[in-house]
Amino acid sequence: MSSGGFSVKSRSLRGNNNGGGGGTGTKCGRWNPTVEQLKVLTDLFRAGLRTPTTDQIQKISTELSFYGKIESKNVFYWFQNHKARERQKRRKISIDFDHHHQNDISTQHHLRQPSTRSDVYEINEEEEEEKVIETLQLFPVNNNTLEDSKVEKKMRSKCNNNQFREYIRENNPTILSPYSSCGAEMEHLSPLDLRLSFF
Amino acid sequence: MSSGGFSVKSRSLRGNNNGGGGGTGTKCGRWNPTVEQLKVLTDLFRAGLRTPTTDQIQKISTELSFYGKIESKNVFYWFQNHKARERQKRRKISIDFDHHHQNDISTQHHLRQPSTRSDVYEINEEEEEEKVIETLQLFPVNNNTLEDSKVEKKMRSKCNNNQFREYIRENNPTILSPYSSCGAEMEHLSPLDLRLSFF
DNA sequence: GCAAATTAATGATTTATTCAAG
DNA sequence: CTTGAATAAATCATTAATTTGC
């Protein structure tokens, strides 16, 4: 919050380090996707992938590392950002549209509530459903063609997102948990959101 | 309902799931802090800690595990939530205050911008500075007082939070076995900040 | 006194916003 | 200006307090 006048937390001053010696002369600042990487990511996104599971991220990351240096978090962030910005883009478009079709907004803003975000949503929440991908080729096996490797169909839908919550809860191994009773064999083991993934 | 003022309820009077080892039923639900854990966390917060680094989270978590089952992520989330809710609380108070001192708000809402959240911030952003704690006792050495004893000065300063980033970045095994059937045991000493945590 | 029904707290996730590298 | 990275706000969901009818 706040950049307003208040304490701007300066984010990393960074000492650029990077461990590895990997790549080309990269200074190792932030990740910069290669065109190939970007293409794959974009394709996955277009195919409907929005919030990849931990497994998926791992897999994607591993595969993309072929094209250049990359880490899991980069994949994670990419999807986060891309999803958000696509949404934002669409929203803005419709706002502009509205704007264009009615010059006087004074009739509207009295409806604004002070601080809820709901008003934002109401503007244009067409929220594209996250498609359930039955078969999705994560990577070009040979180079181009799409084969059908199976990928989890763990996508959640907007109206039905509790399901995956429970799923997460149930499947979260939670470390040393001795509580064997919670067990329940899991067939798909990904905790989905990676944020947790490994706690 | 309600409690006007944040009374620390005596939780954990009932049969908790704690237990690491001898767990009884273990519902595997969400973490529920014991009073001791809560006290320590609260004290740390009061001491000025707001956004603990990965190291700090680890350490805190480890220490608190003495009082009962706990994971790193719980510590992380606790700080996130507590910080946010304290802020929220103060904000609400000042709103009520304003309300009380002026009945006509019509003079104000013309300032509202449609959908930015900034207007919310502007209401009362006194944001308490996150203090740089030089010496802070993280845990009661004996059992009672948290008051004065020394501990590491691992706090980050506003301009210097990269420490944990590097840590996170460096620790990225990313080896994960894809289809492990049951095991899927995740690392547990992993990094903490979850957002990245396992990258 | 005691559970079912309600309500308040708060742990856990998701979404929006901000910052700054390139 | 784009976008990777990070933080904060909002939201969801579950557990505990509390109330209520018996």
Side-chain angles (χ1 to χ4, degrees):
Chain A
M1 58 181 52
S2 64
S3 41
F6 207 65
S7 59
V8 175
K9 293 190 168 176
S10 61
R11 281 155 149 137
S12 64
L13 294 177
R14 89 193 326 343
N16 56 20
N17 41 359
N18 173 4
T24 53
T26 56
K27 296 290 294 300
C28 250
R30 67 185 197 183
W31 168 65
N32 209 19
T34 67
V35 284
E36 292 91 352
Q37 289 174 334
L38 205 52
K39 173 169 179 14
V40 174
L41 290 170
T42 302
D43 285 345
L44 288 172
F45 189 89
R46 302 185 97 97
L49 188 57
R50 293 289 180 280
T51 310
T53 65
T54 300
D55 292 2
Q56 291 175 317
I57 289 176
Q58 281 293 0
K59 192 173 290 188
I60 294 168
S61 176
T62 300
E63 292 289 335
L64 290 185
S65 66
F66 174 76
Y67 300 112
K69 189 166 166 310
I70 190 173
E71 291 175 68
S72 302
K73 70 173 182 180
N74 303 132
V75 175
F76 168 74
Y77 281 134
W78 190 90
F79 276 96
Q80 284 280 80
N81 284 319
H82 199 70
K83 176 172 58 175
R85 283 164 181 153
E86 282 296 311
R87 193 183 290 136
Q88 183 178 41
K89 198 183 299 176
R90 273 189 303 140
R91 192 178 295 147
K92 185 174 192 324
I93 288 170
S94 82
I95 289 174
D96 290 346
F97 182 81
D98 289 349
H99 235 284
H100 186 263
H101 284 257
Q102 50 103 35
N103 298 328
D104 182 29
I105 51 175
S106 63
T107 57
Q108 289 194 330
H109 79 179
H110 69 283
L111 294 174
R112 300 282 181 216
Q113 289 305 312
S115 64
T116 54
R117 233 193 308 184
S118 52
D119 49 68
V120 178
Y121 298 148
E122 291 165 0
I123 292 175
N124 173 25
E125 211 53 22
E126 236 356 96
E127 181 139 359
E128 176 176 329
E129 293 276 332
E130 181 159 352
K131 303 167 196 159
V132 174
I133 305 172
E134 292 291 339
T135 354
L136 178 66
Q137 180 199 18
L138 292 180
F139 307 100
V141 176
N142 280 333
N143 229 347
N144 288 333
T145 60
L146 299 179
E147 296 303 324
D148 49 7
S149 55
K150 303 290 187 178
V151 168
E152 314 228 347
K153 42 158 94 177
K154 255 299 105 134
M155 304 306 175
R156 68 173 168 175
S157 73
K158 186 169 87 175
C159 303
N160 186 6
N161 57 358
N162 7 10
Q163 176 180 329
F164 92 100
R165 296 255 169 83
E166 296 181 23
Y167 171 69
I168 288 172
R169 178 152 28 85
E170 295 299 308
N171 288 327
N172 189 349
T174 308
I175 320 180
L176 308 169
S177 61
Y179 46 78
S180 48
S181 60
C182 279
E185 293 301 350
M186 22 188 114
E187 30 181 23
H188 359 46
L189 20 90
S190 44
L192 295 201
D193 188 277
L194 39 131
R195 270 150 314 154
L196 312 185
S197 70
F198 67 121
F199 281 110
Chain B
M1 339 306 189
S2 108
S3 60
F6 197 158
S7 55
V8 175
K9 277 90 192 246
S10 57
R11 321 174 108 123
S12 80
L13 285 178
R14 318 150 106 64
N16 276 334
N17 39 340
N18 151 84
T24 52
T26 73
K27 295 275 301 297
C28 290
R30 66 184 196 185
W31 167 65
N32 210 16
T34 66
V35 286
E36 293 89 353
Q37 290 174 333
L38 205 52
K39 177 171 179 11
V40 174
L41 291 170
T42 303
D43 285 345
L44 288 171
F45 189 89
R46 301 185 92 97
L49 187 58
R50 294 288 180 281
T51 310
T53 65
T54 302
D55 293 358
Q56 291 174 317
I57 290 175
Q58 275 294 6
K59 191 172 290 190
I60 294 168
S61 177
T62 300
E63 293 288 335
L64 290 185
S65 66
F66 174 75
Y67 300 112
K69 189 168 166 304
I70 191 174
E71 291 174 69
S72 301
K73 70 173 181 180
N74 304 130
V75 175
F76 169 74
Y77 283 137
W78 190 90
F79 276 96
Q80 285 279 81
N81 282 319
H82 199 70
K83 177 171 54 176
R85 284 166 180 152
E86 282 295 313
R87 195 182 289 138
Q88 183 179 42
K89 198 183 298 177
R90 272 190 303 137
R91 196 177 292 150
K92 186 177 191 321
I93 288 171
S94 82
I95 289 173
D96 291 347
F97 180 82
D98 289 349
H99 235 282
H100 186 264
H101 282 257
Q102 50 103 37
N103 298 328
D104 182 29
I105 52 175
S106 63
T107 57
Q108 288 195 329
H109 80 179
H110 70 281
L111 294 174
R112 303 274 180 223
Q113 289 304 311
S115 63
T116 53
R117 238 190 301 177
S118 53
D119 47 66
V120 178
Y121 300 150
E122 292 165 0
I123 292 174
N124 173 25
E125 210 55 22
E126 267 304 310
E127 178 132 3
E128 176 175 329
E129 291 276 334
E130 178 161 354
K131 303 167 197 159
V132 175
I133 305 172
E134 290 293 337
T135 8
L136 177 66
Q137 180 197 21
L138 292 179
F139 308 100
V141 177
N142 280 335
N143 216 354
N144 291 333
T145 55
L146 295 173
E147 298 321 314
D148 42 293
S149 64
K150 313 284 192 180
V151 161
E152 319 226 347
K153 65 185 236 169
K154 267 292 146 138
M155 304 305 176
R156 68 161 175 185
S157 70
K158 242 163 44 169
C159 302
N160 184 11
N161 57 357
N162 19 4
Q163 175 181 334
F164 88 101
R165 301 247 173 91
E166 297 181 27
Y167 172 67
I168 289 170
R169 182 141 29 89
E170 291 300 304
N171 292 325
N172 185 6
T174 305
I175 298 223
L176 190 132
S177 52
Y179 308 112
S180 54
S181 53
C182 299
E185 226 22 325
M186 338 201 155
E187 266 292 4
H188 109 318
L189 17 96
S190 56
L192 288 207
D193 184 286
L194 33 100
R195 292 130 296 159
L196 318 181
S197 80
F198 75 123
F199 292 110

